[in-house]
Amino acid sequence: MKIGKVFNQLILIMLMLVSLCCMIVVIMSMFTLPDLSTGKIVESSKMEGRYSKGEKLGKFGEMMIEMLPNDLAFTVFVPSEKAFERDLRLRANQSFSREEWDNVYATVSHVLGFSAIPRKIYAGLLPRGKDLSYDSVSGFTLYISKGFDGVLVVNRVRAERIDIKKGKVVVHIMDGVIMDAEFEQSVLPNDDGDQMTMDI
């Protein structure tokens, strides 16, 4: 009888200790979690900072964001204007004929399919040195990591700016275009270097 009482008291003490530890962990985590609602980025890095609501993503980046539904959360890895020009030969200040514009629109929508994920992913919350994989809306697998230097990398393309909020969309501006090998072959420049070959 005495042994049963001691055993019950030990169980009660253990439960109280576990509850106390859980409460301490919850309280500590409340103080260390970043406040995402203010738009501030917690980690310090050259890429990170505060972004105004009027942050410009460039002509093609804005085009990509406009193609998404307004009421759903997405993360989009938008190529920088330089990346669009370097990798796809699309210049923001170029005037396009109607036929060229159709090709540009198709190209940008393909890039969106490869680089948009239907969920919010903040670079400031990613663990360093750990690879994560997500399927984009086109089914293309994106391998996302953050190096120990704090730089976000997606399929070997490094980020220039991160965690920009555009409504329900989280935007990361990348120094390259994320695409599969087949699409990359279809948009390789011709010999003259000014036009794109489009096999879309």
Side-chain angles (χ1 to χ4, degrees):
M1 188 81 160
K2 214 174 195 182
I3 295 174
K5 254 187 175 180
V6 172
F7 184 70
N8 285 342
Q9 286 180 346
L10 283 174
I11 289 176
L12 183 62
I13 291 170
M14 290 298 289
L15 286 174
M16 289 174 62
L17 283 174
V18 168
S19 298
L20 182 64
C21 289
C22 289
M23 290 284 283
I24 291 170
V25 167
V26 168
I27 291 170
M28 288 179 63
S29 67
M30 287 172 56
F31 289 113
T32 58
L33 284 177
D35 183 11
L36 296 178
S37 62
T38 62
K40 292 179 185 174
I41 305 304
V42 175
E43 276 184 49
S44 61
S45 170
K46 292 177 186 172
M47 301 181 300
E48 298 173 319
R50 227 183 247 199
Y51 298 99
S52 66
K53 289 186 178 178
E55 180 86 32
K56 296 205 176 196
L57 302 176
K59 178 179 181 178
F60 303 116
E62 292 290 345
M63 216 169 128
M64 288 173 69
I65 301 304
E66 287 171 10
M67 291 178 187
L68 293 170
N70 294 330
D71 56 342
L72 298 175
F74 281 91
T75 298
V76 185
F77 302 97
V78 174
S80 66
E81 285 294 318
K82 283 188 254 177
F84 269 112
E85 186 171 338
R86 182 188 64 228
D87 300 344
L88 299 175
R89 305 297 188 255
L90 294 177
R91 292 176 186 85
N93 58 359
Q94 183 178 350
S95 58
F96 297 99
S97 69
R98 185 163 183 75
E99 184 180 307
E100 288 174 325
W101 183 250
D102 289 343
N103 284 339
V104 168
Y105 191 87
T107 301
V108 172
S109 65
H110 272 70
V111 171
L112 175 65
F114 293 125
S115 58
I117 297 172
R119 64 180 298 161
K120 289 186 180 182
I121 300 172
Y122 291 97
L125 299 178
L126 291 174
R128 291 177 188 254
K130 184 177 178 186
D131 291 336
L132 302 172
S133 66
Y134 296 97
D135 285 339
S136 68
V137 292
S138 69
F140 183 61
T141 304
L142 300 179
Y143 299 98
I144 303 168
S145 64
K146 187 164 67 172
F148 291 103
D149 58 356
V151 177
L152 177 72
V153 178
V154 181
N155 290 23
R156 296 182 298 197
V157 178
R158 293 170 65 87
E160 288 183 357
R161 304 188 77 179
I162 58 172
D163 292 351
I164 301 169
K165 290 163 77 173
K166 291 282 189 180
K168 292 190 175 186
V169 179
V170 178
V171 179
H172 307 289
I173 300 176
M174 309 301 287
D175 183 30
V177 180
I178 298 168
M179 54 187 157
D180 68 5
E182 183 179 340
F183 182 70
E184 186 175 2
Q185 289 297 317
S186 73
V187 294
L188 284 176
N190 289 334
D191 292 336
D192 61 11
D194 292 329
Q195 299 292 324
M196 292 183 304
T197 329
M198 298 298 298
D199 299 326
I200 298 173

